[in-house]
């Protein structure tokens, strides 16, 4: 089977023996969502364990972004249960804020704050949500900026950075809050091919260190390298889920086979 | 057009003199040029209205304080800018109130009917400007709210106050308001004007700010929410700074409009800058120099408005972080 944009061989090979504990950090039970009368998510069931890396893929409009956005309440589900770190997700604002502190999210279009410098982008939430003192927040920020390999950009503004750098800053910004879970919503879809690798490298390092991750992406090489499970969604339903080798070599459902043939062909 | 204007304003104008004899031509009529001695003779009423001359030092001291604070804020090298800004926001208005009104701390009481001229214009304009921005922001947020009652109240407020001409608001506040008040309760006329002007301007400001809020991409809200920022912190740190920066041209526009609209208080008997000029030129000793008066008024208004415009552009340049 041919590789997609970034071949698995180009990526650093981590050990996939990073232990996945039994502790369930995200539990989604029979979740449904409607946009008006349009049934966008149908009976979603998912259990994510601590340290697990999950890749969600599927065609456009399949609801995969909507599904993970429900986890940190950027979207509201109408039926079913979502439990994150033991806290049930309801309309209770306090619980929502609690969950959002533990769940970091990276977006397709970065969503950095353009009127603040990179350093200010990073220290804002730790200082004002976790009440960290400024010097501690700045230390943490610089540490994560070094992790994503762009400490020299701290004083610049997002508009002065390239797409790949902005996404790495976005990842660092989420990490500054020390989240237990990281959500990625098509993090490399808006990037030029040359920049995709630098972002995926950061995400792979993160996975190696045991971060629980749910990643919506089209980067199948990344899925093969890092994922414990690959989930295929279509038309709002989870069609198939399996560990990567089985998923790619032996897709069970017709729709999965069709999707894989399209995505891996070009 | 420029050379004749310059002739009228400068070269053919009369500059020195104590009465209007220097501004008369051979036949005894007024010269076809500006009569600046008229302005000089009337400068105090134009600046301060009928405020007692012996008490003018109270106003001038507050002008001085304001000037110092403003310089401190504008000159980059001066430190402690936060303190100067806080001073202007809280203690300064209170100081001004007691200085202007008097009646306590041994100061003579000066009733607001005597306030006038540029002093009155500044009091109304600055109060209106400073109060309408926060109220406008709250109204804009309320109008965009998902809570139906809050939204309905804000929409009704905005549509009512900006749908009615300012002149009718002032007129109604002066004539109709007392009718609804119990016998003997009499709100100060200037206070009524200040409230009317502020509410009117807040409605305009609300729509300007709402335009800015609409322009902020949803991703900014989501990025803030994903980090755990609650509504208040999200608005304060992320959305409002960007929205307000976007609509600086609209905000300053509204301020400039308000500054010039203050002249309408003449309909309720308060003599602002322009009204004083008209009063001066209808005085028998200086009859016929209304044009000079208007030219002077235009110059002064233009200086203030241009100053505001220049500052706003300085602000935009300073806040520009996009590349």
């Amino acid at each position: 089977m041919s590789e997609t944009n970034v071949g698995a061989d180009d990526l650093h090979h981590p050990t996939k023996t990073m232990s996945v504990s039994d502790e369930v950090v995200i539990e989604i039970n029979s979740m449904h969502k409607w946009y008006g009368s349009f049934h966008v998510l149908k009976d979603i069931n998912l259990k994510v364990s601590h340290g697990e890396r999950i890749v969600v893929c599927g065609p456009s409009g399949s609801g995969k972004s909507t599904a993970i956005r429900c986890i940190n309440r950027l979207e509201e589900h109408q039926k079913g249960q979502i439990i994150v770190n033991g806290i049930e997700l309801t309309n209770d604002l306090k619980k929502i804020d609690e969950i959002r502190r533990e769940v970091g999210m990276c977006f397709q279009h970065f969503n950095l704050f353009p009127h603040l410098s990179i350093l200010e982008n990073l220290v804002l939430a730790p200082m004002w949500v976790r009440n960290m003192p400024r010097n501690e927040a700045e230390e943490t920020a610089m540490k994560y900026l070094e992790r994503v390999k762009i400490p020299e950009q701290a004083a610049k503004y997002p508009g002065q950075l390239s797409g790949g750098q902005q996404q790495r800053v976005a990842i660092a910004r989420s990490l500054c809050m020390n989240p237990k879970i990281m959500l990625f919503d098509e993090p490399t879809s808006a990037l030029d091919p040359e920049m995709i690798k630098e972002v995926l490298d950061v995400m792979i390092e993160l996975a190696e260190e045991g971060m629980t991750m749910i990643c919506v992406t089209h980067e199948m090489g990344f899925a093969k390298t890092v994922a414990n499970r690959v989930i295929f969604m279509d038309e709002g339903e989870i069609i198939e889920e399996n560990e990567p080798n089985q998923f790619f070599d032996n897709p069970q459902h017709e729709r999965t086979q069709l999707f894989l043939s399209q995505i891996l062909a070009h | 057009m420029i050379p004749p204007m310059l002739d009228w304003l400068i070269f053919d104008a009369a500059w020195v003199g104590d009465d209007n004899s220097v501004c008369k031509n051979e036949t005894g009529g007024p010269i076809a040029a500006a009569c600046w001695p008229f302005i000089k003779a009337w400068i105090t009423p134009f600046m301060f209205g009928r405020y007692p001359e012996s008490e003018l030092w109270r106003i001038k001291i507050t002008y001085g304080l304001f000037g110092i604070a403003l310089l401190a804020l504008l000159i980059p090298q001066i430190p402690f800018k936060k303190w100067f800004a806080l001073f202007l926001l809280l203690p300064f208005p209170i100081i001004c109130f007691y200085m202007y009104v008097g009646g306590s701390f041994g100061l003579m009481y000066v009733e607001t009917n005597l306030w006038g001229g540029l002093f009155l214009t500044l009091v109304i304009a600055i109060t209106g400007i400073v109060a309408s921005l926060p109220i406008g922001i709250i109204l804009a947020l309320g109008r965009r709210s998902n809570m139906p009652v809050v939204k309905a109240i804000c929409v009704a407020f905005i549509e009512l106050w900006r749908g009615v001409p300012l002149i009718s608001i002032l007129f109604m506040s002066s004539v109709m308001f007392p009718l609804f008040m119990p016998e003997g309760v009499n709100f100060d006329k200037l206070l009524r004007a200040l409230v009317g002007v502020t509410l009117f301007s807040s409605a305009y400001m609300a729509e300007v700010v709402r335009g800015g809020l609409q322009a902020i991409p949803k991703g900014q809200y989501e990025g803030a929410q994903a980090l755990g920022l609650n509504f208040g912190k999200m608005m304060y740190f992320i959305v409002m700074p960007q929205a307000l920066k976007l609509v600086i041209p609209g905000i300053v526009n509204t301020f400039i409009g308000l500054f010039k609209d203050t002249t309408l208080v003449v309909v309720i008997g308060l003599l602002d800058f322009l009204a004083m000029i008209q009063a001066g030129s209808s005085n028998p000793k200086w009859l016929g120099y209304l044009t000079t008066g208007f030219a002077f008024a235009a110059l002064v208004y233009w200086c203030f408005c241009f100053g505001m415009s220049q500052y706003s552009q300085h602000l935009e340049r300073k806040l520009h972080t996009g590349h």
Side-chain angles (χ1 to χ4, degrees):
Chain A
M1 201 167 275
S2 60
E3 313 290 359
T4 47
N5 330 37
V6 185
D9 290 292
D10 298 342
L11 299 171
H12 176 115
H13 285 283
T15 54
K16 269 215 249 179
T17 56
M18 215 54 233
S19 59
V20 175
S21 80
D22 290 331
E23 179 200 348
V24 171
V25 289
I26 300 181
E27 195 179 326
I28 304 179
N29 296 324
S30 307
M31 194 251 288
H32 292 255
K33 182 178 168 58
W34 286 265
Y35 278 135
S37 57
F38 175 57
H39 201 171
V40 57
L41 290 174
K42 302 168 187 158
D43 198 28
I44 304 292
N45 288 288
L46 182 65
K47 278 194 178 55
V48 181
S49 308
H50 178 75
E52 227 188 324
R53 282 98 59 189
I54 298 188
V55 165
V56 182
C57 61
S60 228
S62 54
K64 43 191 203 298
S65 286
T66 312
I68 71 164
R69 284 155 63 93
C70 284
I71 296 175
N72 68 353
R73 201 63 165 192
L74 289 183
E75 303 280 356
E76 217 176 285
H77 63 281
Q78 278 84 35
K79 200 167 149 195
Q81 248 190 348
I82 301 181
I83 303 173
V84 179
N85 262 339
I87 308 167
E88 187 176 346
L89 197 51
T90 56
N91 280 324
D92 188 341
L93 286 174
K94 264 213 162 106
K95 299 237 173 84
I96 295 176
D97 282 340
E98 240 183 282
I99 289 175
R100 284 179 177 164
R101 265 176 259 151
E102 304 304 328
V103 178
M105 183 155 187
C106 287
F107 300 87
Q108 183 176 353
H109 296 287
F110 331 132
N111 291 340
L112 293 180
F113 307 133
H115 61 298
L116 300 173
S117 72
I118 301 301
L119 189 65
E120 284 163 24
N121 260 274
L122 264 62
V123 300
L124 183 75
M127 276 177 67
W128 297 101
V129 178
R130 290 212 190 277
N131 297 317
M132 226 189 247
R134 178 166 267 273
N135 48 4
E136 200 186 316
E138 287 189 0
E139 247 183 80
T140 314
M142 287 313 295
K143 180 179 99 189
Y144 283 114
L145 277 181
E146 274 160 29
R147 268 274 296 272
V148 299
K149 302 194 184 53
I150 38 174
E152 70 282 357
Q153 309 288 349
K156 292 215 182 132
Y157 285 85
Q160 296 170 283
L161 267 53
S162 74
Q165 290 172 323
Q166 287 189 54
Q167 192 60 290
R168 286 186 280 158
V169 168
I171 296 175
R173 183 177 70 175
S174 300
L175 293 176
C176 281
M177 287 291 284
N178 274 318
K180 302 222 174 51
I181 304 160
M182 281 287 278
L183 303 175
F184 291 90
D185 187 1
E186 305 211 35
T188 57
S189 296
L191 297 176
D192 288 340
E194 316 88 71
M195 296 192 233
I196 293 179
K197 180 177 184 315
E198 66 193 44
V199 174
L200 288 180
D201 280 346
V202 170
M203 289 165 66
I204 290 170
E205 265 182 49
L206 212 54
E208 284 184 331
E209 289 164 12
M211 174 67 78
T212 313
M213 291 162 82
I214 305 183
C215 194
V216 173
T217 184
H218 298 293
E219 295 294 325
M220 294 304 134
F222 173 76
K224 284 192 201 173
T225 315
V226 142
N228 299 111
R229 255 195 289 171
V230 182
I231 296 178
F232 174 69
M233 279 182 72
D234 192 12
E235 293 188 0
E237 294 175 286
I238 294 181
I239 306 292
E240 190 169 331
E241 76 183 83
N242 219 332
E243 57 97 18
N245 289 327
Q246 280 297 309
F247 183 86
F248 289 110
D249 298 334
N250 210 359
Q252 302 290 315
H253 290 254
E254 203 187 304
R255 284 196 267 178
T256 321
Q257 293 163 0
L258 177 62
F259 175 72
L260 285 175
S261 70
Q262 289 169 332
I263 202 171
L264 297 172
H266 73 275
Chain B
M1 217 177 84
I2 308 283
M5 238 170 70
L6 287 177
D7 281 339
W8 192 92
L9 282 170
I10 304 174
F11 302 117
D12 296 340
W15 286 88
V16 188
D18 283 331
D19 60 41
N20 64 355
S21 56
V22 298
C23 297
K24 288 207 184 326
N25 60 20
E26 309 80 45
T27 59
I31 51 170
C35 177
W36 297 115
F38 164 55
I39 307 294
K40 181 158 169 282
W42 278 81
I43 195 71
T44 305
F46 289 169
M47 289 292 123
F48 301 107
R50 291 179 295 153
Y51 207 89
E53 289 221 28
S54 58
E55 307 298 309
L56 286 180
W57 60 271
R58 286 148 59 171
I59 302 180
K60 293 177 184 172
I61 285 187
T62 58
Y63 280 1
L65 283 174
F66 183 78
I68 294 173
L70 202 65
L71 273 175
L73 284 177
L74 290 177
I75 298 179
Q77 288 81 5
I78 297 185
F80 306 122
K81 286 201 176 358
K82 259 212 168 93
W83 292 108
F84 284 107
L86 276 173
F87 167 74
L88 278 182
L89 228 45
L90 233 42
F92 183 70
I94 299 177
I95 294 174
C96 285
F97 176 77
Y98 281 111
M99 288 288 255
Y100 299 159
V101 175
S104 34
F105 302 110
L107 294 172
M108 179 182 117
Y109 173 69
V110 180
E111 62 162 351
T112 56
N113 283 328
L114 296 176
W115 301 17
L118 191 59
F119 164 60
L120 183 65
T121 299
L122 288 173
V123 166
I124 300 176
I126 292 179
T127 307
I129 286 171
V130 169
S132 67
L133 187 55
I135 299 178
I137 290 174
I138 294 171
L139 285 168
L141 290 173
R143 187 164 181 161
R144 280 169 58 90
S145 159
N146 288 322
M147 297 181 270
V149 176
V150 171
K151 182 174 177 157
I153 293 176
C154 290
V155 171
F157 182 99
I158 293 170
E159 297 304 332
L160 171 68
W161 288 98
R162 72 168 179 163
V164 181
L166 179 58
I167 202 170
S168 61
I169 293 174
L170 291 170
F171 190 71
M172 281 201 269
S173 77
S174 169
V175 170
M176 292 188 65
F177 198 62
L179 295 176
F180 299 129
M181 286 286 115
E183 193 64 46
V185 175
N186 193 22
F187 277 111
D188 184 84
K189 200 156 50 166
L190 175 60
L191 184 62
R192 279 182 254 150
L194 287 174
V195 170
V197 163
T198 299
L199 293 176
F200 177 79
S201 190
S202 303
Y204 273 74
M205 194 57 75
E207 290 297 278
V208 172
V209 171
R210 191 169 71 90
L213 288 172
Q214 281 180 170
I216 304 300
K218 193 157 165 249
Q220 288 295 297
Y221 290 84
E222 292 181 349
Q225 287 167 338
L227 284 171
L229 291 164
N230 65 17
F231 180 81
K233 292 175 187 165
M234 173 176 74
M235 281 298 162
Y236 182 78
F237 289 110
I238 309 301
V239 178
M240 273 302 162
Q242 293 183 70
L244 293 178
K245 185 175 89 166
L246 265 177
V247 294
I248 285 176
I251 291 176
V252 175
N253 218 29
T254 308
F255 285 171
I256 289 176
L258 173 58
F259 188 82
K260 294 180 291 178
D261 281 345
T262 58
T263 203
L264 292 173
V265 296
V266 69
V267 305
I268 56 172
L270 292 169
L271 297 173
D272 80 306
F273 183 57
L274 207 54
M276 286 310 301
I277 289 180
Q278 288 179 299
S281 66
S282 57
N283 179 288
K285 273 185 28 183
W286 289 92
L287 215 50
Y289 300 106
L290 192 56
T291 323
T292 308
F294 274 132
F296 178 63
L299 203 62
V300 172
Y301 274 118
W302 186 85
C303 284
F304 277 96
C305 295
F306 187 65
M308 284 193 263
S309 165
Q310 284 299 97
Y311 180 68
S312 89
Q313 286 178 34
H314 160 81
L315 208 59
E316 282 192 86
R317 272 192 300 268
K318 196 174 90 162
L319 297 174
H320 182 62
T321 57
H323 288 266

